[in-house]
Amino acid sequence: SEKNILKVIKPLFLDNLWREFEQVKDNRNKLIAFHEKIAGLRFLDPACGCGNFLVISYRELRLLELEIIKVLQKGQMVTDIAEKIKLDVDRFYGIEIEEFPSQIAQVAMWLADHQMNMKVSETFGEYFIRLPLRKSPHIVCGNALRLDWQSLIEPIPWEKGEPKFNYIFGNPPFMGSKFMKPIQRKEVVDLFNNLPGSGILDYVTAWYAKSAQYILHFAFINHEIKCAFVSTNSISQGEQVGVLWNELLNKYKIKIHFAHRTFKWNNEAKGVAAVYCVIIGFSNYNISEKPIFEYSDIKGEPHQIMVRNINPYLLEGNDLLIKSRTKSICNVPRIKFGNQPIDGGNLLMSAHEFEIYIEKEPDGKKFIRRYIGSEELINGIKRYCFWLKDAQPKEIHNLPLLMKRIENVAIFRQSSKRKETQELSLIPTKFAFISHEERYYVIIPSVSSERRNYIPIDFMGSDVIASNLCLIIPGATKYHFGILTSHMHMAWVRYVCGRLEGRLRYSNSIVYNNFPWPENTSKKQVKAVEEAAQKVLDTRAEFYANSLAVLYDPLTMPPALVKAHQALDKAADLCYRPQPFMSESKRIEYLFELYDKYTAGLFKEEKKKRKERSNLPQIDEVGESEKTNKA
């Protein structure tokens, strides 16, 4: 929509040009020079579609030019308006992979030019029309990731030096890494020069890389080129941040100049789903003041805050990057994936299948346990599994229905194309991956709705088997549960974790292992969190007939549970600092500063070969390799 396009072009160039106009409008010579300047600018949309970004940019610049001419004329009659109009469509360039939209973009620019010419005629009372058409917008049908962008520009004799695009902007394709075609993935990997991890990057990141490379081409001759793209918010969250922005910041010296934090980009076309977006403006030089546009309501309007630096998470702060870790930066219990059966469903049962089985083979009940994944945890669905880890062969052999299921497991695993799975057919009584410990654990769903104020984290008894669609923390205490269920941890999750569509996708290696826990907490503070956490659990128990999905729906969350969580939030906050956090952004900025402190201490100790430690949390050593990542 037009409103969203203005969110891109206004902070990119329009606001600055209008400010410059206000500064020079009282000096005729400077105003004439300014007029020449804007007429000489070049604009590129390397994913232009039907040309909406180009059309609106051209219209807005013509409106600015109109004001320039008004001031220069000072009320005098215009004798030849054609001599006064300097802007034309030939300074606008677009690349579109589909032929029909590229043709529409070409025509749309001529129509925009005609409309603005009618505006000029209306303003100055002199009919103005450009016929025959002598100049054209440069719209190319082709693959923007394969084309040399500079080849679109035809040098003009009076231009000094190598011509360039001044502004590159647009709305490149939204496509997650898991949904790309092989040829598209190759395009991304090629543009990142086979950078390790580039295979996880979304398609839109290729336009960032291509733009950064274009900027670098002109960096040595002091040309300032500014870029801004609408992107899915995945490029400022989760694992992609470390891969993408490490390359942009360090190799291409990119600095973020402005950013719109997550908002909903609503397409005006019928039947097109809205997506969660960010807008990032960037170049290869620094500026002193940078606006962040923050949304209290992702469907509403933003408010602007000015900061000195915007980091890749679109927060005020240093340009730090959170990368995947196999162990926590703090001294907390280890997190693991749940248990993975790889059984073709033969070791698992629904509640109905469970009832049928125990009726036919009651002696097998002793080998059955509750089985819980993300969906079962959140929606209160009952599911079961055969847990035969310590079962005696003779006992299993005397249960024909169970034996048939085990046989089916072996057949399923043998038919796999993976050698590792085929080898597992030799032990069909066991889950493929086992992480269960016979003790209480905290369970975290891998995916949870972004609508919830809190992820429905829970405690589980040792008799319940968690699936690999959950993360588990054996040995976690109520203090750990309390901090993880607090507003403080949720703020970290919203900014750091990846997304599955709009839903939160919790990660052990990115979210949990990088989470900065409170430092130097007192026994009194720990006890306060534990008591508040117990109150949350007790309040949930009062509504035992309701699923966590219902209890944590913002529209149906019981007031008693809201109150219990507010008390827990306060207790958790006090573990970090005595002063309250005035906003979500201040809360996350504090966490990033603490993370920076923890990891700075970690790197320092590595250089000193682990001499004396400071007051920072200790690092919990992991004895065995992180097999859960493969699971």
Side-chain angles (χ1 to χ4, degrees), residues 280-442:
I280 301 177
F282 59 95
S283 189
N284 66 330
Y285 63 94
N286 208 358
I287 55 176
S288 57
E289 287 193 327
K290 303 167 183 175
I292 294 177
F293 299 90
E294 189 172 35
Y295 292 77
S296 301
D297 177 3
I298 59 172
K299 298 179 183 178
E301 293 300 311
H303 64 273
Q304 178 180 314
I305 54 176
M306 299 300 294
V307 300
R308 287 187 294 178
N309 195 64
I310 303 173
N311 70 25
Y313 298 90
L314 309 189
L315 296 166
E316 180 180 11
N318 296 333
D319 287 331
L320 57 83
L321 297 169
I322 295 175
K323 299 181 181 180
S324 177
R325 296 179 187 275
T326 58
K327 56 185 179 182
S328 174
I329 61 172
C330 299
N331 186 26
V332 291
R334 182 186 175 194
I335 191 170
K336 302 189 288 185
F337 282 100
N339 305 269
Q340 187 176 23
I342 310 183
D343 65 329
N346 291 288
L347 295 177
L348 308 179
M349 291 182 290
S350 66
H352 179 63
E353 289 171 329
F354 167 75
E355 294 295 337
I356 293 173
Y357 175 78
I358 60 172
E359 183 179 344
K360 293 181 177 180
E361 202 164 77
D363 290 343
K365 186 176 181 180
K366 63 183 291 187
F367 300 119
I368 297 174
R369 295 204 192 186
R370 279 284 306 278
Y371 182 74
I372 192 163
S374 293
E375 187 178 359
E376 292 81 10
L377 172 66
I378 294 172
N379 295 305
I381 298 170
K382 286 189 176 181
R383 206 171 176 204
Y384 300 87
C385 72
F386 286 99
W387 191 248
L388 306 168
K389 185 171 178 284
D390 299 316
Q392 293 297 315
K394 183 178 179 180
E395 293 178 296
I396 299 173
H397 201 267
N398 290 331
L399 300 169
L401 293 179
L402 177 55
M403 282 290 290
K404 182 61 179 175
R405 283 177 172 265
I406 294 170
E407 181 184 354
N408 290 337
V409 173
I411 294 170
F412 176 80
R413 291 177 180 177
Q414 284 171 351
S415 64
S416 173
K417 295 180 180 179
R418 291 180 70 248
K419 181 182 177 182
E420 294 84 354
T421 304
Q422 292 172 2
E423 291 173 352
L424 288 169
S425 66
L426 299 175
I427 46 171
T429 58
K430 288 189 176 182
F431 273 44
F433 174 79
I434 296 176
S435 58
H436 184 74
E437 299 179 23
E438 295 296 338
R439 54 176 174 164
Y440 277 88
Y441 58 91
V442 161

Side-chain angles (χ1 to χ4, degrees), residues 454 482 485-488 532 562 564-575 587:
Y454 306 92
T485 316
S486 72
H487 192 179
M488 206 68 180
V562 172
H565 268 285
Q566 288 173 341
L568 176 56
D569 290 339
K570 185 176 180 180
D573 284 355
L574 288 173
C575 289
R587 188 184 296 275

Side-chain angles (χ1 to χ4, degrees), residues 96-340:
E96 169 53 39
I97 199 165
E98 299 289 343
E99 184 176 357
F100 186 58
S102 68
Q103 293 175 352
I104 293 175
Q106 185 98 358
V107 175
M109 286 297 292
W110 277 322
L111 286 174
D113 183 59
H114 176 70
Q115 289 173 342
M116 293 315 301
N117 293 340
M118 293 301 96
K119 182 82 173 176
V120 169
S121 301
E122 180 186 328
T123 302
F124 294 105
E126 180 183 342
Y127 185 65
F128 174 58
I129 189 170
R130 283 172 169 155
L131 283 177
L133 297 170
R134 292 185 174 86
K135 293 183 179 180
S136 300
H138 304 273
I139 309 297
V140 175
C141 180
N143 186 331
L145 302 183
R146 297 294 184 188
L147 280 173
D148 175 9
W149 292 358
Q150 189 64 12
S151 68
L152 274 64
I153 300 176
E154 294 182 5
I156 299 174
W158 53 263
E159 285 187 306
K160 295 180 181 180
E162 188 177 7
K164 71 179 192 311
F165 297 112
N166 302 90
Y167 300 101
I168 301 170
F169 53 79
N171 183 8
F174 294 162
M175 191 177 300
S177 61
K178 294 182 179 179
F179 301 100
M180 291 177 350
K181 297 175 182 177
I183 190 171
Q184 293 169 325
R185 188 178 304 280
K186 186 176 187 308
E187 288 171 350
V188 175
V189 172
D190 286 350
L191 277 168
F192 282 91
N193 298 312
N194 293 302
L195 180 74
S198 56
I200 68 166
L201 296 175
D202 290 348
Y203 201 37
V204 70
T205 61
W207 274 261
Y208 281 80
K210 187 88 170 181
S211 299
Q213 291 164 10
Y214 185 82
I215 291 172
L216 185 65
H217 175 75
F218 290 94
F220 300 105
I221 47 179
N222 200 29
H223 276 308
E224 294 180 357
I225 300 169
K226 294 183 178 180
C227 307
F229 291 122
V230 182
S231 313
T232 46
N233 60 4
S234 58
I235 70 163
S236 59
Q237 299 167 346
E239 194 174 3
Q240 289 196 63
V241 177
V243 179
L244 169 64
W245 289 100
N246 184 59
E247 187 79 348
L248 295 181
L249 295 175
N250 296 316
K251 183 175 181 179
Y252 298 106
K253 309 305 177 187
I254 292 300
K255 296 295 291 184
I256 297 176
H257 284 195
F258 73 89
H260 281 259
R261 289 177 180 159
T262 300
F263 68 99
K264 223 169 188 180
W265 179 284
N266 293 298
N267 195 307
E268 292 178 344
K270 290 184 178 180
V272 178
V275 292
Y276 294 93
C277 296
V278 295
I279 298 170
I280 301 177
F282 59 95
S283 189
N284 66 330
Y285 63 94
N286 208 358
I287 55 176
S288 57
E289 287 193 327
K290 303 167 183 175
I292 294 177
F293 299 90
E294 189 172 35
Y295 292 77
S296 301
D297 177 3
I298 59 172
K299 298 179 183 178
E301 293 300 311
H303 64 273
Q304 178 180 314
I305 54 176
M306 299 300 294
V307 300
R308 287 187 294 178
N309 195 64
I310 303 173
N311 70 25
Y313 298 90
L314 309 189
L315 296 166
E316 180 180 11
N318 296 333
D319 287 331
L320 57 83
L321 297 169
I322 295 175
K323 299 181 181 180
S324 177
R325 296 179 187 275
T326 58
K327 56 185 179 182
S328 174
I329 61 172
C330 299
N331 186 26
V332 291
R334 182 186 175 194
I335 191 170
K336 302 189 288 185
F337 282 100
N339 305 269
Q340 187 176 23

